Amino acid sequence: MKILVINCGSSSLKFQLYNMDNNEVLAKGLVERIGIEGSNLQYSPKGMDKIVIETPLPNHDEAIKLVMDKLVDPECGVISDLSEINGVGHRVVHGSKYFTESCVVTEDVMEKLNKCVDLAPLHNPANIMGIKACEKLMPGVKNVVVFDTAFHQTMPAKAYMYALPYEYYEKYDIRKYGFHGTSHRYVSKQAIEMLGNPEHSKIITCHLGNGSSIAAVKDGKVIDTTMGFTPLAGFEMGTRCGDIDPAIVPYIMKKENLTPDEVDNIMNKKSGLLGVTGKSSDFRDAEAAMNEGDERAKLALDMFRYQIAKFIGSYVVALGGCDAIVFTAGIGENNGGHRAAICEYLSFLGLEVDAEKNKLRGSNIEFSTANSKVKAFIIPTDEELMIAQDTMELLK
Ligand code: ADP
């Protein structure tokens, strides 16, 4: 069985074509700058060199069409006909109350997906564009949606409720949903295996990328997570502010004469690392600036590490202990400096980092010392494989 996995962002699209008989990736790639000058496809077929194609791609339809052309191309293709693709799995950010697990796309599902748009305005519209493009270009092939919110549905009410008037929960479903669920699901499963598949486990998974979140996973089930009603909650991210005193919002709105949409845009796109440094949303840029003596870059990175350590501490309480802390995603997998600094805050738990192992990357690594009371793991996330597996299960 062959499954195509698609992860659409507003101006980007990541894809992987799997042969599910052996979980092999036949081709993968990335389309960047969709609808913006300089659009390009980076296409990596198995066993061949990466191909970069620069061509105008005004929308997601054109981007997916180009990907499909390459998949069946006589020279660089990996299948002879699109009919070899049995199903397409789409990453969808917000499933709201409508989706507690992955499902096959139907008209009813599309209607509900549209209802979720205002809850994740940065992400869900792009996911919907991707599904529509696939329906148009591959008629008859089933599409499956896999939600970032689904894995967090096991949270107890005391974790997901906000102390607002209860009627807002009843009327508008205002509660914590949590995101990056597919990543937290994947890495927590891997961590349980690395612990030797114990019957009981207490794991804290830190997904640190452009968007970041932490989850407390007890016996394989989420009991709490940092993101909330939207992916804006939690701690400092590339451009998102994370948790702030909610009273700041109306205060700034009055002072700066901002509409709700304007203040929302500032909190989602102009805050976080970008807001504090005033320079970049990229953590590598901030680190380079800090190393050159930029005080605000240092402050922004200190805040990032401190906020993460505090959440981990609170989840040790929520779990009643901790067997392992997992670091994953762009920053979590690649930056030993942040990992070491975060673990340093947690040394009172008996967590000890092996400095040499902390320099490694690229595979599942236990980077705590043999004596450490809490294990620390680097686990490269694989959301695409999880999506492909869910898609395969639903098509069976
Ligand atoms: P997303 O999937 O949320 O777009 P990623 O998980 O790919 O994001 O992470 C992207 C982030 O990871 C960027 O901010 C990038 O700067 C950061 N990153 C990647 N490598 C490193 C590194 N070696 N040190 C610090 N940050 C890194």
Side-chain angles (χ1 to χ4, degrees), residues 14 208-211 281-284 287 329-331 334-335 361:
K14 290 184 200 154
L208 312 178
N210 268 322
S281 64
D282 192 295
F283 281 79
R284 282 166 297 199
E287 197 163 350
I331 304 163
N334 296 313
N335 193 295
R361 62 209 267 182

Side-chain angles (χ1 to χ4, degrees), residues 5 18 61 72 107 114 158 186 209 230 249 261 269 276 380 395:
V5 173
Y18 282 91
D61 279 14
V72 297
E107 259 178 47
N114 277 311
K158 69 179 177 188
Y186 179 81
T230 73
V249 179
D261 282 350
K269 295 190 178 168
V276 179
L395 293 183

Side-chain angles (χ1 to χ4, degrees), residues 7 14 91 180 207-212 238 240 273 281-287 328-336 338 361 381 383:
N7 181 352
K14 290 184 200 154
R91 176 195 178 205
H180 293 140
H207 177 110
L208 312 178
N210 268 322
S212 298
R240 292 173 237 168
L273 188 75
S281 64
D282 192 295
F283 281 79
R284 282 166 297 199
D285 293 349
E287 197 163 350
T328 193
I331 304 163
E333 290 167 29
N334 296 313
N335 193 295
H338 293 319
R361 62 209 267 182
T381 192
E383 290 157 289

Side-chain angles (χ1 to χ4, degrees), residues 290-310:
M290 176 177 78
N291 292 339
E292 281 167 17
D294 184 323
E295 285 298 321
R296 267 165 62 182
K298 181 178 184 313
L299 170 65
L301 293 176
D302 280 349
M303 288 165 65
F304 177 71
R305 296 163 167 184
Y306 175 65
Q307 291 178 1
I308 291 169
K310 278 203 301 183

Side-chain angles (χ1 to χ4, degrees), residues 88-137:
V88 185
H90 298 262
R91 176 195 178 205
V92 178
V93 169
H94 209 308
S96 180
K97 66 174 170 179
Y98 303 107
F99 301 103
T100 54
E101 55 189 14
S102 308
C103 60
V104 175
V105 174
T106 60
E107 259 178 47
D108 177 54
V109 165
M110 284 307 274
E111 216 168 276
K112 286 174 180 156
L113 283 175
N114 277 311
K115 289 185 185 163
C116 303
V117 164
D118 64 336
L119 298 180
L122 286 183
H123 300 93
N124 271 33
N127 302 146
I128 292 172
M129 279 191 272
I131 297 165
K132 285 191 173 154
C134 288
E135 284 179 336
K136 195 163 136 191
L137 296 164

